[in-house]
């Protein structure tokens, strides 16, 4: 004999299953939040350290960060320079990075990342090859700009990402914002 269930029974059973699953997911999410926060902080420290040429792991990032970086006025300072935080928007979502400048406002290191840019196109900002384009560029009298067929002798131009126009525009915009903030910081320091 085939057993049949009423619609009410099926509804109550389904609702109970959804509530139990939601409860389990909530407990797991809440219990993992401190670990997620710790990992995000370690990743940020790794990125900042990478801009000044210090490779770190999640295990030693806090120790190396404390040794090489000091924080002041929302900026990260290292021996001989400053690391500018970068935040912007690419084609599909947030993009961010860090730009290390020496005392002459010359880029000595860069690192970029994204949440959801297209792999092989805008996602290229997360590669070391892209970051290396910034080494030796300047942020003293104007912001660095991404340009199609950039003039490599121009200290303010970097090759844009082929096929990643919106991401390139987002990087240029976040560099312009960082330049404005950095210029204000320098102006305040001389007053």
């Amino acid at each position: 004999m085939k057993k049949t269930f009423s619609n009410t029974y099926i509804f109550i059973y389904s609702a109970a299953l959804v509530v139990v699953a939601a409860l389990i997911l909530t407990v797991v999410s809440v219990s993992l939040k401190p670990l997620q926060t710790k990992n995000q902080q370690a990743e940020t420290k790794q990125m900042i350290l990478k801009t000044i040429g210090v490779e770190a792991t999640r295990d030693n990032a806090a120790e190396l960060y404390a040794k090489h970086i000091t924080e002041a006025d929302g900026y990260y300072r290292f021996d001989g320079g400053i690391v500018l935080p970068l935040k912007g928007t690419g084609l599909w979502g947030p993009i961010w990075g860090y730009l290390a400048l020496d005392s002459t406002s010359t880029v000595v290191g860069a690192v970029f990342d994204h949440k959801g840019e297209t792999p092989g196109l805008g996602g290229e900002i997360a590669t070391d090859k892209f970051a290396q384009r910034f080494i030796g560029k300047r942020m003293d009298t104007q912001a660095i700009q991404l340009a199609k067929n950039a003039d490599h002798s121009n200290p303010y131009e970097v090759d844009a990402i082929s096929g990643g126009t919106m991401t390139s525009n987002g990087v240029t915009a976040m560099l312009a914002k960082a330049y404005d903030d950095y210029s204000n910081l320098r102006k305040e320091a001389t007053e």
Side-chain angles (χ1 to χ4, degrees), residues 165-183:
T165 303
M166 295 299 292
T167 305
S168 293
N169 292 344
V171 171
T172 296
M174 80 179 172
L175 289 166
K177 170 77 170 97
Y179 172 76
D180 289 343
D181 294 344
Y182 178 57
S183 293

Side-chain angles (χ1 to χ4, degrees), residues 4-73:
T4 60
F5 297 100
S6 70
N7 287 344
T8 304
Y9 174 83
I10 293 171
F11 178 76
I12 291 172
Y13 180 81
S14 299
L17 188 62
V18 167
V19 168
V20 169
L23 182 62
I24 290 170
L25 288 173
T26 300
V27 168
V28 169
S29 177
V30 168
S31 65
L32 289 177
K33 187 67 176 168
L35 183 59
Q36 290 173 336
T37 301
K38 182 181 175 186
N39 285 339
Q40 288 170 341
Q41 290 170 344
E43 183 180 24
T44 297
K45 289 175 181 177
Q46 285 176 279
M47 290 178 76
I48 292 167
L49 288 166
K50 188 174 182 178
T51 65
I52 63 168
V54 177
E55 291 296 326
T57 65
R58 286 185 187 201
D59 295 332
N60 68 3
E63 176 187 341
L64 290 172
Y65 186 85
K67 180 179 177 181
H68 295 283
I69 303 292
T70 58
E71 294 182 27
D73 303 324

Side-chain angles (χ1 to χ4, degrees), residues 121-144:
L121 297 174
E124 291 299 301
I125 67 168
T127 65
D128 288 337
K129 182 179 177 183
F130 178 74
Q132 290 298 317
R133 297 176 189 179
F134 290 83
I135 306 300
K137 298 299 179 178
R138 301 190 52 82
M139 287 279 279
D140 53 356
T141 60
Q142 70 179 64
I144 299 168

